[in-house]
Amino acid sequence: MSETIIEKVKLQLTDALLKALKTAQEKGELTEAADVSVNIEQPRDKNHGDYSSNLAMVLARGQKKAPRMVADTLIRCLDTSGTCISRCEVAGAGFINFYLDKSWLYPVIAAIQAQGGAYGKSDMGKGKKYMVEFVSANPTGPMHMGNARGGALGDCLAELLRWAGYDVTREFYVNDAGNQIEKFANSLEARYLQIYLGEDAVAFPEDGYQGADITQHAGDFAQIYKDKYVGTDTAERKEALVRYALEKNVAALKKDLGTYRINFDVWFRESSLYESGEVAQTIEIFKNNGHTYEKDGALWFRATDFGEEKDEVLIRANGIPTYFAADVAYHRNKILARGFDKVIDIWGADHYGHVARMKGALKAVGIDPEKLDVIIVQLVRLISAGEVVRMSKRTGKAVTLNDLLDEVSIDAARFFFNLRQSDSHLDFDLDLAVEQSSENPVYYVQYAHARICSILALLESEGVSVPDAAHLRLDLLGEPQELELLAKLAELPDEVKAAALSYEPCRLTRYCIDLAALFHSFYTACRVRCEDKDLTAVRLKLCDCVRMVLANVLAMLSITAPERM
RNA sequence: GUGCCUGUAGCUCAGUUGGAUAGAGCAACUGCCUUCUAAGCAGUAGGUCCUGGGUUCGAAUCCCCGCAGGCACGCCA
């Protein structure tokens, strides 16, 4: 895949400007300029042309001339022959505005026809191995709103990166070791023993998990094994309970995420890092590199040597490595053992403080911290009837992913969670998300797709099918609505690249809202089915291209593209 | 207290990495269906870009003093 239509035209404009500069210098009208970088941008205001450049303003200082004079000179020396430039002028403080011949956009039709469901893809990533690790909810219970947002974000980001030419792996990190599993075990044990010894006879741990799911697991376990584990020693009992409940929970996570249209390539177990000895090995590296010391019976990492405010414990006084130690081992595994070029972690805002520590630790064990990018997802506020929802009515606990999907369609959830940048707080309006109206952006976009399908079906029933791009009178496309649609269609490949580079799937939702808006305008202004057969044909083709592009973007977001609504 | 993030229309948010008269959607108001889906379109109105300095041809954007809100600072994960 070579450069996109937009990249081509920018190159053409850049080239023309540089030649004009050279010509002006040869004629002695402008002096030599050091390292000129030509910036071509799309003006906000359509009256300012299709593209514009600030070159004259950048040059002005070195030339000791007014920007507008430099611009005048450049335009006079500009050779537009063989380009798509139809007109250019000086405007504002010294901008050079380019007005292009409308035909520059026509090739997008053939491009979309040729690439179809792959239109928008690029090889920018050159097949580099990227991992997106996301959700990674504690397997001790169900998923909450943060997981729901992180899930939608991570999944769409992974897909976006794939479209941009990266080799992407989706991974879920199962925290099945360490402290919180210990808590999980103690809670299960207490509930189990309470069944046989009575609630008063067995104290429930202070910091235990209170949830009904724990009691449920203990009950189910008792159904199968009866009182077999009442008399055994506590370690054996807890191990059996955890093995049972954990697998149930992981299976439930898989199922719930699958329903949410998220399928992970790898479910990576924290416990495997202990079994393989990688945690111990990682701690050895810290020691060998001279970044550790012992204090109060614990082994510390001298994080302050890496710009941190505090040192970190690697091994507790009780001999158990910290989550932090295991996490460093995990990232060594990702980057060294499995050779990912880039590891992207999606964490909740409450893990913010962990980012710098993690990067410092990677440096300490000899890994380039640049290999790790962390995306922080801000927490979600649910809004219902204009008020903040804090608790789930059903469980009395935090609202879970399943609670949300009871209220809202999967399409709406995935769309809404990708509407905003991840680092901004998100208000999720439950009433809006279920509303079937123009206020709801998901429906707005899907409606555009359905409308197009409806036109295609109508004309098809009259014997008019979508024509081949080669047999079209493309020059009949000239209405502003038509040209703007073409321009937006042409942007997709560039938009995918930009979104992938900045890790912002929200650019895709915005893109398809924009595209849908342009289509709706076109629909009102231009009739597809009309007297002129050639015009019908070319507009029908345009509709089909919009349909294809909407479908492609929605596919990237794993949102359905209905044919009728 | 220390560090990080955020502050843009009544509300929710964009703002092309320093560019032109700061933009959308919702809410408000005015119009548009005998013709391809009105779940739509066209238009009007709405601003101290948190305050105050600085950098320069030019600042919502970059730098400093404040103000307000959020988060993080455990031998938790």
Side-chain angles (χ1 to χ4, degrees), chain A residues 56 60 63-71 93:
Chain A
Q63 298 291 333
K64 295 189 175 125
K65 284 182 178 167
R68 285 192 67 107
M69 283 185 63
V70 179

Side-chain angles (χ1 to χ4, degrees), chain A residues 269-414:
Chain A
R269 304 267 175 153
E270 182 183 0
S271 56
S272 74
L273 293 166
Y274 288 93
E275 287 157 13
S276 67
E278 284 169 279
V279 174
Q281 195 188 337
T282 300
I283 290 168
E284 279 307 302
I285 294 168
F286 272 112
K287 281 190 196 165
N288 293 341
N289 291 355
H291 300 308
T292 59
Y293 62 93
E294 285 190 39
K295 194 182 89 181
D296 303 331
L299 183 74
W300 293 73
F301 161 48
R302 211 183 299 277
T304 44
D305 285 357
F306 295 85
E308 286 301 294
E309 288 185 7
K310 285 176 187 167
D311 292 339
E312 292 293 321
V313 172
L314 292 172
I315 303 178
R316 300 184 181 90
N318 63 11
I320 300 172
T322 57
Y323 168 86
F324 179 67
D327 213 14
V328 178
Y330 179 39
H331 284 85
R332 278 189 77 238
N333 175 282
K334 289 176 178 178
I335 293 163
L336 295 184
R338 288 191 279 162
F340 282 98
D341 296 303
K342 183 76 90 176
V343 168
I344 302 168
D345 289 359
I346 297 181
W347 294 346
D350 52 336
H351 289 238
Y352 186 82
H354 194 53
V355 179
R357 277 201 292 282
M358 192 64 214
K359 294 207 168 214
L362 288 181
K363 204 185 270 180
V365 296
I367 293 174
D368 178 7
E370 292 290 306
K371 296 248 181 185
L372 170 68
D373 283 326
V374 180
I375 299 176
I376 293 296
V377 181
Q378 287 295 339
L379 303 179
V380 180
R381 284 198 315 178
L382 283 180
I383 310 286
S384 178
E387 302 214 345
V388 178
V389 183
R390 300 204 180 276
M391 295 289 169
S392 159
K393 285 170 206 148
R394 199 205 300 156
T395 60
K397 298 279 281 183
V399 181
T400 68
L401 173 62
N402 289 333
D403 293 336
L404 177 74
L405 295 184
D406 284 347
E407 304 262 343
V408 171
S409 73
I410 297 164
D411 286 344
R414 295 185 61 110

Side-chain angles (χ1 to χ4, degrees), chain A residues 42-226:
Chain A
Q42 243 178 325
R44 266 198 277 263
D45 189 335
K46 291 179 198 78
N47 295 321
H48 295 142
D50 296 299
Y51 286 94
S52 80
S53 176
N54 63 351
L55 178 62
M57 289 181 277
V58 177
L59 289 174
R61 175 171 242 192
Q63 298 291 333
K64 295 189 175 125
K65 284 182 178 167
R68 285 192 67 107
M69 283 185 63
V70 179
D72 277 328
T73 307
L74 285 171
I75 285 188
R76 233 180 316 114
C77 297
L78 198 69
D79 179 11
T80 59
S81 60
T83 71
C84 58
I85 303 167
S86 72
R87 184 162 68 86
C88 61
E89 63 186 24
V90 180
F95 289 98
I96 299 173
N97 293 345
F98 294 98
Y99 299 82
L100 306 182
D101 188 276
K102 61 178 185 166
S103 63
W104 81 276
L105 285 167
Y106 293 161
V108 72
I109 301 265
I112 293 171
Q113 174 176 294
Q115 295 173 50
Y119 176 71
K121 287 189 177 171
S122 73
D123 53 8
M124 181 178 76
K126 298 190 173 67
K128 279 194 192 141
K129 280 185 70 175
Y130 270 41
M131 171 195 288
V132 185
E133 184 228 313
F134 60 108
V135 185
S136 299
N138 266 331
T140 50
M143 287 172 285
H144 52 73
M145 275 309 106
N147 300 134
R149 183 179 186 183
L153 173 76
D155 193 53
C156 294
L157 174 62
E159 192 59 16
L160 171 60
L161 290 167
R162 204 174 66 76
W163 275 64
Y166 297 91
D167 175 8
V168 184
T169 299
R170 291 169 169 86
E171 182 153 311
F172 188 113
Y173 185 47
V174 184
N175 300 126
D176 63 342
N179 240 319
Q180 89 282 2
I181 284 294
E182 192 62 24
K183 261 163 65 177
F184 186 53
N186 292 336
S187 309
L188 285 165
E189 181 185 39
R191 292 298 185 218
Y192 174 69
L193 291 178
Q194 280 174 351
I195 292 170
Y196 293 98
L197 307 177
E199 286 198 21
D200 300 333
V202 184
F204 193 77
E206 289 252 331
D207 57 348
Y209 293 106
Q210 299 282 352
D213 51 321
I214 299 288
T215 318
Q216 180 77 38
H217 282 314
D220 294 346
F221 182 82
Q223 286 285 317
I224 299 169
Y225 300 101
K226 309 298 178 197

Side-chain angles (χ1 to χ4, degrees), chain A residues 339-553:
Chain A
F340 282 98
D341 296 303
K342 183 76 90 176
V343 168
I344 302 168
D345 289 359
I346 297 181
W347 294 346
D350 52 336
H351 289 238
Y352 186 82
H354 194 53
V355 179
R357 277 201 292 282
M358 192 64 214
K359 294 207 168 214
L362 288 181
K363 204 185 270 180
V365 296
I367 293 174
D368 178 7
E370 292 290 306
K371 296 248 181 185
L372 170 68
D373 283 326
V374 180
I375 299 176
I376 293 296
V377 181
Q378 287 295 339
L379 303 179
V380 180
R381 284 198 315 178
L382 283 180
I383 310 286
S384 178
E387 302 214 345
V388 178
V389 183
R390 300 204 180 276
M391 295 289 169
S392 159
K393 285 170 206 148
R394 199 205 300 156
T395 60
K397 298 279 281 183
V399 181
T400 68
L401 173 62
N402 289 333
D403 293 336
L404 177 74
L405 295 184
D406 284 347
E407 304 262 343
V408 171
S409 73
I410 297 164
D411 286 344
R414 295 185 61 110
F415 198 91
F416 272 67
F417 283 130
N418 277 299
L419 211 45
R420 307 275 172 249
Q421 287 178 22
S422 59
D423 60 355
S424 74
H425 297 260
L426 180 72
D427 284 344
F428 194 118
D429 189 326
L430 287 168
D431 305 310
L432 179 59
V434 295
E435 193 157 334
Q436 304 201 357
S437 78
S438 59
E439 296 169 40
N440 187 337
V442 194
Y443 282 91
Y444 185 78
V445 172
Q446 290 180 323
Y447 181 56
H449 184 269
R451 250 184 165 178
I452 296 170
C453 290
S454 168
I455 298 174
L456 296 181
L458 178 75
L459 286 170
E460 186 73 48
S461 75
E462 295 177 354
V464 183
S465 48
V466 178
D468 189 275
H471 310 302
L472 290 171
R473 288 273 315 277
L474 289 167
D475 58 298
L476 293 177
L477 292 178
E479 294 298 324
Q481 290 86 354
E482 295 169 329
L483 297 177
E484 282 185 53
L485 256 187
L486 285 175
K488 188 53 81 174
L489 292 174
E491 275 175 27
L492 181 68
D494 304 81
E495 199 58 29
V496 172
K497 287 185 194 181
L501 282 176
S502 57
Y503 300 156
E504 287 177 329
C506 65
R507 293 182 67 136
L508 294 178
T509 52
R510 280 208 295 276
Y511 174 86
C512 61
I513 291 171
D514 288 348
L515 181 58
L518 289 174
F519 173 75
H520 289 309
S521 289
F522 158 81
Y523 179 88
T524 334
C526 308
R527 284 195 63 80
V528 177
R529 186 165 166 266
C530 61
E531 297 298 311
D532 185 339
K533 288 245 161 46
D534 289 333
L535 186 58
T536 297
V538 77
R539 284 182 172 166
L540 181 58
K541 186 65 177 179
L542 178 58
C543 286
D544 193 48
C545 288
V546 175
R547 181 193 59 76
M548 189 79 249
V549 170
L550 282 175
N552 286 358
V553 178

Side-chain angles (χ1 to χ4, degrees), chain A residues 219-234:
Chain A
D220 294 346
F221 182 82
Q223 286 285 317
I224 299 169
Y225 300 101
K226 309 298 178 197
D227 61 356
K228 178 178 167 191
Y229 287 95
V230 174
T232 61
D233 71 77
T234 177

